[in-house]
Amino acid sequence: MLVGGLLSHTSSHANETTIASEETVAPIGIEPVAATPPFVANRNITFQALGAQYPLNLRGIDSSNTIPFSIRADEVVTGARLKLGYAYSPSLLPDLSHINILVNDEVAATIALPNDKAGRQLTKTVTLPAHLITAYNQLRVQLVGHYTLECEDPLHSSLWANISNRSTLELAVNPLPLPDDLALFPLPFFDPRDIEQLVLPFVFSGVADNNVLEGAGALSSWFGAMAGHRRAHFPVEKDVAPASGNAIVFVNGAEQARFFHSDPLAGPTLAVTPNPQDPSSKFLLIMGRNSEELKQAAIALAAGNQTLSGRAALITQFAELKPRVPYDAPRWLRTDRPVAFGELIDEKQLNVSGYSPDLIRINVRTPPDLFAWREKNVPIQLKYRYTPQPTSVNSSLLFSVDDLFMKSMPLFALDDLYPEQTPATQTLPDQDIPSHALLEVPLNTLKSSAQLQFRYMYDYIKQGECRDIIIDNVRGLIDPESTIDLTSYPHFKAMPDLTSFVDSGWPYTRLADLSETAVILDKQFSADEVTLYLDLMGLMGESTGYPALAVTVTHIDGIDAVANKDLLVLAAGAEKPALTYWNDFLTGSYTGADGKRLGTSDLLYKRLMWPTPDPRNAIVPQRATINYDSRGSSAIVAGFESPKVPGRSVVVVASNQPEGLKQASSAILKNEDFQGTVGGSLSIVRNNKIDQLVADQTYYTGDLGFFKHIQWVLSPYLPAAPWKAALIALLALLVVAALVTQLARKVLRNRKARTPKA
C-alpha cells in the first residue's frame, strides 16, 4: 500500500510536469491556451425583473417568446449563463422536438426534450456566448415541437412548453472606464439600460444650508424622473465620499473645492472626475463659491444638461425659467384637450404580428384630483387596423386596463366584409382594414397611473388533414391618432389622501416644479432626514417627469414666510421642533423618547378595496386614541389641513429614531419587502409592515363650479336622479335670488327714506 501510494503520487506529479512543459514550450505559430477563469456572476436578473410578469407559455409547432435586456455603458460582459426553469409536454417526440435559446437571433444553445423528464418542472443551466451580447439584446426562447411523424395540427393541444418567469440570467461583467466628459451625462450616474433601482449617493462637502438642499432636491428629482418606474434612492454622506461606485458631490466654498478640483472656482461649476479610490467610477462635482452659486449649478444641470460638454463647465449665465401652471406635468395626461396615443408611445410599439401576439401597452398618468362623481366615463376614440382573414368565427381585439377586462371588439373576416363575393373570387385587400370604436373607461380604474392594454386574438381556421399550416401574415395596429379625453372632469378632491401622496406626490406635484411646496426640516437635520427628503423629491420627479426646480427648504422658524404653500415636514426624533410644532394637529405623534400617541379607527378591520367615485363613502374617522411607551423603531405618515391657510395641505413623515425614516422611505417607495401600503390620513410603518389607521377626509381642494357644488352639497338630501337634483338645485337658486332681490329692494327703500328732500 505504501509503495502503491508513492507510485501513484509520483505518477500524478509526472503528469503535472508534462502538462506544464507543454504549456511552456508551445509549437512555433501556435499560441499557448490560457486556462479559462471560473465563471463568477455579479449580475443576476430574473425574467420577472426583465418584464415577464407571468410564466412564458409556448404553444404550437414553432412558438417563441422574447425578453429584452441591456448592458450598462460602463460595463462589458465577459461571461453569461442562463438558469432556465421549464416544463414540457409528455407527447413531444424527443427526436424532433427541442427548445432553442437565441441571443439576438443567433442560436446560443439547444435543450433536448427526452420523454423520461417530460411533464415536470426542470432546471437547466445553459452557457451563453459572451460575444453575442451587445448593448441592447433580445433573449428568445423557442419551442420546436412535434407530436407525430404524420400530418399534424400546428396548434395541437399537446404542443406546449412552460418557461418559468423566475428563470435567471447570470452575467459576469467587468468595469469599462468612460472618459471624463459632461457630454455623456447622465452616464455613468444613471444609465437608462440599467433595470435595477437607482441607488446614487449624495455627498455634501462644506455647509449644507437651505440653498444647497434646494439644489440637491432639484437634482434628485431629475434623477427620479429619469429612473421612472425603477424608483431612485439617494443615501447621504457628510464629508465622506464612497470608497467605490459613482456619487454626486456638492462642494460649498472655494476652500472645499480644492480637495476635488485643481482649477480655482470662478463661479457655479460642474465637473466630472474619477473616484480616487475606484478609478472605474466617477464623481459628479456640483461646486460654488457659496451656496447660491452651488444651487445655480445644480439647477442648471437639471434644466439644461443636454448642452454641456467637456470635463468641467462654468455656468456664466442661466436665464430664469418660465413658471409652471397647474397640471402641466409632462408625464400627466392633459385635461385641456384630448391626447393622442402617438404623444404617449412610440408608433413602432403600437404594431404587432402573429395569431396571438403580445399585448400593446400604453402607460397613462392622470391628475389625482379629477372628480368622477356623477360624471360620464372617460371616452377613448380608438382607431385600429388589422389583417382580415378569409373566414373567421372568434377573432377579436380585447381591451383591458391593468388586466381588468373592459371590452371585446370583433375583427370581421372577408366573409362578413364582402358577402357578395364568392370564395373563388374573394381576395385579400391591398391594405389592412381600418376600424373605429368608442371605448368608455371609468375614471377610477385609471387611478393616478394605469396601463391601457390591447390584445389581438386571431381565430385559427382548420383546413383539414395535411393542409393545416401557420402562415405569419396577420398584423395588427393601434392608430397613433387614437385619443383619450379628460376634458370634462373638474378638479376637486377630498383630503387628506396619503394614497395619492405615495402614488403621485399629491398635492405637491400639482405644479411640476414644486413652486408651491415647502419642505420643513430641523436646523440640526440628520443624514437620514436629508436622505428621506431626496427620496421624496425623486418620487415627485418620477410622477411628473420634471425636476423640482422651485422647491423651498426651510425650518420651523421660517414657516410664516411659506404659510401659503403646501408643507412637507420631515423629522427624526420626538423632541425636534420641526415635529413638536404640529403635535396638536396630528392624529398620531411621538410624545417623548419612548412615548407614542396614535389614533385608530375601523379601518383596521375593514378596508375600502375599490376607489369609490364619492369620497364621502371612504371616510373612516378616528374612534380611539392609544398612548404607550416603547423603545421600538417605527415611523408615521400623517396628512391634515394646514392650520395656517385653509385648503393647503401638510404631510408629516416622522420617526422616534433615525432608523425609522429608512423604513418610511422604503414604504413610500413601495419596496417589495413591505406588507401593505401607505394610505388614508394616518399610517404607521413598523417591522416591514404598513398599517392604515385612519381615513378621515376633512377638507377639499379644487373647485366644482357653482352649480356642481350646490348639487354636491345637497346630494345627501336629494333624489339620486341627476335631472331631479338639478331641478331642485335650480329651484333653490331661484328662491335664494328672490330673497336677495327682496332684501336689496328693502335696503333701497330705507336709503330713500333717510335721504332728505331738496
Side-chain angles (χ1 to χ4, degrees):
M1 291 293 296
L2 180 59
V3 175
L6 181 60
L7 289 175
S8 175
H9 176 76
T10 304
S11 175
S12 173
H13 182 74
N15 288 339
E16 290 177 3
T17 304
T18 303
I19 293 173
S21 175
E22 290 176 353
E23 290 179 348
T24 304
V25 184
I28 298 176
I30 301 178
E31 294 291 336
V33 179
T36 303
F39 179 87
V40 178
N42 43 16
R43 293 284 187 277
N44 294 289
I45 314 169
T46 65
F47 281 10
Q48 187 175 24
L50 292 170
Q53 298 303 311
Y54 306 99
L56 311 181
N57 293 312
L58 307 179
R59 298 287 186 270
I61 196 171
D62 184 2
S63 175
S64 65
N65 209 310
T66 300
I67 296 178
F69 71 97
S70 52
I71 306 299
R72 286 180 56 96
D74 57 353
E75 293 178 343
V76 59
V77 176
T78 59
R81 292 192 312 198
L82 177 63
K83 283 190 175 180
L84 193 71
Y86 65 105
Y88 56 91
S89 169
S91 300
L92 296 179
L93 298 178
D95 293 339
L96 301 178
S97 304
H98 52 274
I99 292 176
N100 287 329
I101 308 297
L102 299 94
V103 177
N104 297 326
D105 291 328
E106 293 196 40
V107 177
T110 297
I111 300 175
L113 306 178
N115 282 337
D116 58 338
K117 295 183 179 180
R120 52 195 175 100
Q121 287 293 326
L122 304 171
T123 302
K124 190 175 185 64
T125 300
V126 176
T127 300
L128 305 178
H131 69 273
L132 296 180
I133 299 176
T134 60
Y136 296 95
N137 305 276
Q138 301 287 330
L139 177 64
R140 183 152 61 100
V141 183
Q142 178 191 40
L143 169 66
V144 178
H146 297 278
Y147 66 94
T148 179
L149 295 175
E150 306 296 331
C151 297
E152 58 186 352
D153 178 359
L155 294 179
H156 196 273
S157 60
S158 64
L159 298 171
W160 64 265
N162 179 273
I163 309 298
S164 172
N165 63 336
R166 297 189 178 275
S167 301
T168 304
L169 178 64
E170 299 180 342
L171 300 174
V173 298
N174 286 339
L176 181 66
L178 298 177
D180 299 338
D181 192 348
L182 288 168
L184 297 177
F185 188 80
L187 297 176
F189 309 99
F190 168 71
D191 194 326
R193 307 175 190 174
D194 197 342
I195 67 167
E196 298 179 355
Q197 181 189 30
L198 173 63
V199 179
L200 183 60
F202 275 36
V203 180
F204 295 91
S205 178
V207 177
D209 61 10
N210 293 343
N211 283 319
V212 174
L213 294 180
E214 288 170 1
L219 200 54
S220 65
S221 63
W222 185 88
F223 278 110
M226 293 299 101
H229 67 276
R230 308 172 186 85
R231 296 292 174 97
H233 174 53
F234 306 97
V236 168
E237 296 289 347
K238 183 71 170 68
D239 295 324
V240 179
S244 62
N246 306 306
I248 310 296
V249 182
F250 296 86
V251 184
N252 185 4
E255 291 298 320
Q256 294 293 124
R258 292 190 305 164
F259 296 103
F260 301 93
H261 191 58
S262 58
D263 300 332
L265 288 186
T269 303
L270 303 167
V272 177
T273 183
N275 184 336
Q277 302 181 70
D278 181 13
S280 62
S281 302
K282 305 290 184 186
F283 285 166
L284 176 61
L285 306 178
I286 316 293
M287 299 180 289
R289 294 170 296 185
N290 51 53
S291 62
E292 290 82 1
E293 288 187 352
L294 190 151
K295 177 183 176 180
Q296 186 178 359
I299 291 179
L301 180 65
N305 60 77
Q306 300 85 354
T307 63
L308 300 173
S309 63
R311 188 181 66 85
L314 174 66
I315 308 300
T316 57
Q317 184 178 3
F318 183 72
E320 291 292 332
L321 296 169
K322 293 182 179 179
R324 307 294 297 195
V325 297
Y327 311 108
D328 72 342
R331 204 160 276 172
W332 289 5
L333 291 178
R334 297 186 60 159
T335 58
D336 59 342
R337 63 168 176 81
V339 179
F341 284 4
E343 300 177 59
L344 306 173
I345 188 174
D346 189 342
E347 185 176 357
K348 294 180 180 179
Q349 296 177 294
L350 296 173
N351 286 270
V352 292
S353 62
Y355 280 86
S356 183
D358 195 10
L359 294 173
I360 296 175
R361 298 177 170 89
I362 304 175
N363 295 317
V364 295
R365 281 185 176 271
T366 60
D369 67 338
L370 293 180
F371 195 58
W373 181 75
R374 295 187 180 177
E375 296 285 353
K376 295 181 179 180
N377 290 336
V378 178
I380 297 178
Q381 298 289 346
L382 181 68
K383 299 178 181 180
Y384 61 99
R385 300 200 301 271
Y386 65 96
T387 303
Q389 298 171 282
T391 183
S392 175
V393 178
N394 296 315
S395 295
S396 58
L397 173 62
L398 307 180
F399 170 57
S400 304
V401 177
D402 288 337
D403 296 326
L404 180 65
F405 174 75
M406 291 291 169
K407 188 174 182 178
S408 174
M409 292 150 283
L411 303 179
F412 296 107
L414 292 177
D415 288 345
D416 302 313
L417 297 171
Y418 306 101
E420 69 280 0
Q421 295 187 20
T422 64
T425 60
Q426 195 178 69
T427 58
L428 290 173
D430 294 336
Q431 297 179 347
D432 293 340
I433 299 297
S435 299
H436 176 271
L438 173 62
L439 308 178
E440 293 184 343
V441 181
L443 177 63
N444 293 318
T445 62
L446 298 179
K447 299 171 289 211
S448 294
S449 63
Q451 186 179 82
L452 310 181
Q453 301 167 337
F454 300 90
R455 184 170 186 178
Y456 281 92
M457 299 288 293
Y458 288 99
D459 192 14
Y460 176 69
I461 306 300
K462 295 184 180 296
Q463 302 295 321
E465 187 175 0
C466 295
R467 297 178 58 194
D468 290 332
I469 57 173
I470 293 180
I471 301 176
D472 185 18
N473 64 346
V474 289
R475 300 290 185 269
L477 165 69
I478 302 298
D479 198 305
E481 294 183 359
S482 304
T483 61
I484 181 170
D485 188 354
L486 300 176
T487 56
S488 64
Y489 293 96
H491 292 278
F492 185 73
K493 187 169 182 60
M495 296 290 285
D497 183 8
L498 294 178
T499 298
S500 295
F501 170 67
V502 299
D503 284 346
S504 57
W506 185 262
Y508 309 101
T509 49
R510 176 175 171 270
L511 286 159
D513 60 358
L514 271 61
S515 56
E516 293 186 359
T517 296
V519 180
I520 310 297
L521 292 171
D522 198 78
K523 288 183 178 180
Q524 304 299 323
F525 53 78
S526 66
D528 292 313
E529 290 169 318
V530 179
T531 295
L532 176 60
Y533 158 65
L534 297 176
D535 286 351
L536 291 178
M537 292 300 102
L539 172 68
M540 311 295 179
E542 185 272 334
S543 172
T544 63
Y546 191 81
L549 301 177
V551 67
T552 300
V553 176
T554 187
H555 310 303
I556 202 67
D557 295 342
I559 192 169
D560 290 336
V562 295
N564 197 32
K565 294 177 181 283
D566 294 308
L567 307 178
L568 180 59
V569 182
L570 312 176
E575 304 300 332
K576 288 199 170 183
L579 180 58
T580 57
Y581 180 90
W582 308 99
N583 278 347
D584 294 338
F585 310 102
L586 286 167
T587 52
S589 63
Y590 296 101
T591 58
D594 303 321
K596 302 177 179 68
R597 176 175 59 85
L598 295 171
T600 61
S601 71
D602 291 349
L603 192 62
L604 290 167
Y605 314 104
K606 180 181 179 180
R607 294 181 182 273
L608 192 68
M609 301 305 293
W610 61 283
T612 169
D614 190 339
R616 291 170 295 197
N617 296 333
I619 295 176
V620 188
Q622 177 178 336
R623 292 187 179 275
T625 301
I626 300 175
N627 291 271
Y628 64 95
D629 292 334
S630 172
R631 294 183 179 275
S633 174
S634 65
I636 61 169
V637 185
F640 54 93
E641 185 177 21
S642 173
K644 293 290 185 179
V645 177
R648 287 295 184 179
S649 301
V650 180
V651 172
V652 174
V653 185
S655 175
N656 57 334
Q657 300 176 21
E659 300 80 35
L661 290 187
K662 297 179 182 178
Q663 294 189 52
S665 177
S666 297
I668 292 172
L669 294 179
K670 298 183 179 181
N671 286 356
E672 294 181 356
D673 54 349
F674 272 85
Q675 177 184 351
T677 58
V678 174
S681 58
L682 173 64
S683 295
I684 183 170
V685 183
R686 55 195 172 90
N687 298 328
N688 291 350
K689 182 181 179 182
I690 307 169
D691 290 303
Q692 298 181 22
L693 301 184
V694 182
D696 194 359
Q697 296 175 322
T698 57
Y699 66 103
Y700 296 88
T701 60
D703 182 22
L704 281 178
F706 183 74
F707 292 102
K708 189 76 173 181
H709 187 76
I710 292 178
Q711 184 182 1
W712 162 258
V713 172
L714 299 179
S715 61
Y717 317 103
L718 297 178
W723 70 269
K724 292 182 181 179
L727 178 60
I728 294 176
L730 179 60
L731 293 176
L733 181 62
L734 293 175
V735 172
V736 172
L739 292 175
V740 171
T741 302
Q742 291 294 330
L743 180 61
R745 288 176 178 174
K746 183 177 180 180
V747 171
L748 183 60
R749 286 196 301 267
N750 292 337
R751 183 178 298 175
K752 288 182 177 179
R754 292 195 300 267
T755 302
K757 295 182 179 180

